[in-house]
Amino acid sequence: MRKVVSVVGARPQFIKLSAVSPELRKEYDEVIVHTGQHFDYNMSEQFFEELEIPHPDYNLGISGGSHAVMTGTIMMDIEKVLIQEKPDWLMIYGDTNSTLAAAIAGAKLHIPICHVEAGTRTHSMTNPEEINRVCADHVSTLLLAVTEEDYANLELENLGDRAVIVGNTMYDAFVKNSMKRQPSDFTLTRLDGSGEVSVPEEYYYMTCHREENTNDDESLNGILRAMNSLDAPTIYPVHPRNKQRALRLNEQYGYENVILCEPVGYLESACLVRNAKKIVTDSGGLQTEAFFAEKKCVTVLDFVVWPATMVSNRNELARPNEKDILEKLSHRQIIDPEYKPFGDGHAAKRIVEALLKYDQNR
């Protein structure tokens, strides 16, 4: 069998891998490399366990440092793996530093690269992920786009002849896993260590981890003030690097209507999305999951990640301040049941079909 090295390092990539790996292994010998970019147990190993992803063949254990330090270190270590494994394909996912590092290392070694979730663009080069995804696309051999918009972006960059629309692997995973947990099946661990709390009957669900929203008190406080003023509690699993600021602000301002808790696993998160009243996030992945679950979403960013979700008030951008977030949350979404831009839940099969077709023609 031909060999594929699959490189992952962050939560959304684990979810995508969980959908693709079972299909890939029907036709290819797969070697999984976990860079270690998400090192916390709930951000990493728990995902492999509950999504039944094969244990990584390599765990590089690389996390922290500047973008350049992390990318450079991952690139050096992945090069060693690729030289040893000599794969027929290198498969990369999304737009993290792990994605960029693997792409550069693979391209320098003349290994064909398959980029899952190619063509996504914010058209903002101030966004670190934009640099990663643009560079990865331009050195990749096979570009697997999620939506027609993504494919059009690749055509504009003269990459259309390498591209195939396959749908969204996150949707594959959500369809498969979102019903595996119910709110009564688990509890939330309070961030301050004061114990467990049950999932409320009604709640809002929020994730917030990007630097622009969490690196200063004003932005994060504005977001939390908005959530604190809603008509039901907000569940906020806090990213490890943001823990101390969140705890300090909570002690200072007392967000009594916000449940600050430790990170949750993917199955718990998917359950929380499916049962929430509405979603507030700065995560590209959670935006799509809210869309899959037909939940109103407000995205606290100044750029669009998934244009296909920005229809009929289903997903709206907001600034990190109380007034703007609350205004956008108040807008009523309209759902068109015929509008399905992310495919039919079989993206993983189409990915493997695209690989096989390329191999047959070369």
Side-chain angles (χ1 to χ4, degrees):
M1 296 178 73
R2 296 174 71 79
K3 183 187 292 186
V4 177
V5 167
S6 298
V7 177
V8 293
R11 171 189 181 275
Q13 295 170 332
F14 309 149
I15 300 168
K16 295 162 193 170
L17 178 69
S18 76
V20 175
S21 187
E23 295 297 328
L24 185 64
R25 289 177 180 234
K26 294 176 183 178
E27 303 289 346
Y28 291 87
D29 177 19
E30 183 185 34
V31 175
I32 297 175
V33 179
H34 179 1
T35 66
Q37 188 170 334
H38 274 175
F39 58 90
D40 180 86
Y41 174 79
N42 281 342
M43 304 292 283
S44 179
E45 290 192 26
Q46 184 177 350
F47 281 76
F48 280 81
E49 293 172 6
E50 65 184 15
L51 293 176
E52 299 178 346
I53 305 170
H55 190 77
D57 299 278
Y58 296 87
N59 194 326
L60 305 184
I62 300 166
S63 63
S66 68
H67 287 290
V69 169
M70 178 184 288
T71 303
T73 307
I74 293 173
M75 185 166 57
M76 289 188 292
D77 282 14
I78 283 182
E79 181 184 55
K80 297 173 186 176
V81 173
L82 295 175
I83 290 172
Q84 179 171 324
E85 292 292 340
K86 299 179 175 61
D88 300 286
W89 282 98
L90 169 64
M91 184 170 286
I92 57 176
Y93 292 83
D95 55 18
T96 66
N97 290 336
S98 299
T99 307
L100 176 61
I104 294 173
K108 294 280 189 177
L109 293 171
H110 310 294
I111 297 169
I113 301 168
C114 174
H115 187 193
V116 176
E117 205 174 273
T120 306
R121 297 289 184 270
T122 64
H123 306 290
S124 170
M125 295 303 283
T126 61
N127 173 227
E129 289 82 7
E130 183 82 347
I131 297 167
N132 293 347
R133 62 177 72 98
V134 170
C135 293
D137 280 343
H138 280 262
V139 299
S140 292
T141 310
L142 183 57
L143 301 171
L144 302 177
V146 171
T147 66
E148 292 181 1
E149 289 95 339
D150 297 343
Y151 182 83
N153 289 333
L154 294 169
E155 285 192 311
L156 287 173
E157 297 173 22
N158 297 316
L159 299 174
D161 59 341
R162 310 183 205 173
V164 180
I165 300 173
V166 295
N168 195 329
T169 54
M170 294 283 283
Y171 186 40
D172 290 24
F174 194 81
V175 169
K176 178 181 177 181
N177 295 300
S178 66
M179 298 294 290
K180 289 184 177 179
R181 294 284 190 276
Q182 299 299 324
S184 59
D185 293 340
F186 61 98
T187 57
L188 306 167
T189 302
R190 290 189 182 275
L191 193 66
D192 62 4
S194 62
E196 306 287 314
V197 59
S198 298
V199 177
E201 288 189 15
E202 287 194 328
Y203 61 89
Y204 295 84
Y205 185 42
M206 178 180 110
T207 69
C208 181
H209 71 282
R210 289 184 182 266
E211 292 180 1
E212 54 264 50
N213 291 327
T214 62
N215 272 8
D216 66 81
D217 288 4
E218 182 179 0
S219 295
L220 186 56
N221 181 44
I223 297 167
L224 288 169
R225 281 172 58 89
M227 308 312 293
N228 196 55
S229 67
L230 294 171
D231 60 346
T234 292
I235 296 174
Y236 175 27
V238 179
H239 193 287
R241 71 165 175 257
N242 187 39
K243 180 175 181 177
Q244 295 308 314
R245 187 183 301 274
L247 286 172
R248 178 171 53 76
L249 288 175
N250 185 51
E251 184 176 350
Q252 183 175 353
Y253 294 104
Y255 310 116
E256 296 181 356
N257 205 31
V258 177
I259 300 172
L260 298 173
C261 63
E262 296 288 350
V264 296
Y266 173 67
L267 297 182
E268 287 75 19
S269 181
C271 172
L272 291 172
V273 169
R274 182 169 51 83
N275 291 282
K277 295 185 70 171
K278 297 177 182 179
I279 307 290
V280 173
T281 188
D282 58 9
S283 162
L286 207 72
Q287 291 175 54
T288 58
E289 290 171 1
F291 189 88
F292 305 153
E294 299 186 344
K295 300 296 180 179
K296 165 73 180 184
C297 183
V298 171
T299 298
V300 188
L301 288 174
D302 58 4
F303 55 85
V304 174
V305 177
W306 291 106
T309 68
M310 313 297 288
V311 297
S312 304
N313 292 335
R314 296 192 61 178
N315 185 13
E316 297 184 81
L317 298 183
R319 298 183 299 277
N321 69 63
E322 180 179 3
K323 181 179 179 181
D324 199 32
I325 292 170
L326 293 177
E327 179 186 343
K328 301 298 173 52
L329 278 173
S330 71
H331 295 169
R332 178 175 172 268
Q333 69 169 343
I334 300 172
I335 297 172
D336 177 0
E338 302 300 317
Y339 179 63
K340 297 182 178 180
F342 296 110
D344 58 3
H346 298 289
K349 289 183 179 180
R350 293 192 181 91
I351 288 170
V352 177
E353 288 170 359
L355 280 171
L356 289 170
K357 183 177 179 180
Y358 192 98
D359 281 339
Q360 290 165 4
N361 293 334
R362 69 172 175 173

